[in-house]
Amino acid sequence: DGRGIKVLFYSYSVEGNEYPDDMERDPMSRRKFYGFIAKGHIPTTSQINQFGYEEFFREIARSGKDIFHICLGTGMTASYFNAIAAAEAIKAEFPNTKFIVIDSLAGFCHALGQPATVLLSSIELLKMDGVDEETKKHSCQIERFVKE
């Protein structure tokens, strides 16, 4: 979408086959998912494991960028703890990379897209000229959740 935001997709499984949960970006994925249900197949999900996060974070760190990752809330999944463990595990490999992993603390509101709306609005606010430092500091109201 031009913002340079990388997404680590969750996945779901049906009859031993794994599929990315990219339904918001690929309309055909949504049809496939609900097609499975219509045929009586029940998709199962699992959290992103530490290894998956390590691979994702390494790719970003190798490009020379810092990592600011917002996890699906601990109200829905324990993936946040795997992301923290992954960041800790690879910090020594990338001493000049800053790792920030945030628990969105959200459950239901993820289905409504609220965390994405807040994040994208904050990104746009931070890019604006003339925004004072105090406003920038509080634009997301997330600093108390930051783990480095």
Side-chain angles (χ1 to χ4, degrees), residues 21-144:
D21 180 359
D22 60 352
M23 292 181 231
E24 293 303 317
R25 293 183 182 213
D26 180 3
M28 293 307 294
S29 290
R30 186 173 291 173
R31 284 188 182 159
K32 182 186 298 184
F33 179 83
Y34 288 107
F36 287 133
I37 294 172
K39 292 176 184 172
H41 304 292
I42 305 299
T44 59
T45 61
S46 64
Q47 62 188 349
I48 298 170
N49 63 31
Q50 180 178 334
F51 179 75
Y53 278 112
E54 286 179 18
E55 285 186 327
F56 182 68
F57 291 162
R58 273 190 184 100
E59 178 186 339
I60 296 168
R62 282 186 188 119
S63 73
K65 295 182 179 171
D66 290 332
I67 294 165
F68 179 84
H69 183 73
I70 301 175
C71 291
L72 191 60
T74 52
M76 294 182 70
T77 177
S79 290
Y80 165 77
F81 302 108
N82 293 333
I84 290 291
E88 290 298 321
I90 67 169
K91 272 185 179 181
E93 292 176 48
F94 303 96
N96 297 321
T97 300
K98 186 172 186 175
F99 291 81
I100 299 173
V101 178
I102 296 175
D103 174 8
S104 69
L105 299 178
F108 176 72
C109 69
H110 276 279
L112 302 177
Q114 292 171 349
T117 302
V118 170
L119 175 62
L120 294 175
S121 298
S122 295
I123 289 169
E124 293 304 316
L125 176 68
L126 293 172
K127 292 189 317 188
M128 292 172 57
D129 289 330
V131 177
D132 64 85
E133 289 305 311
E134 191 65 20
T135 301
K136 287 181 181 181
K137 179 180 173 187
H138 295 289
S139 66
C140 279
Q141 297 295 314
I142 58 175
E143 56 272 1
R144 65 189 166 129

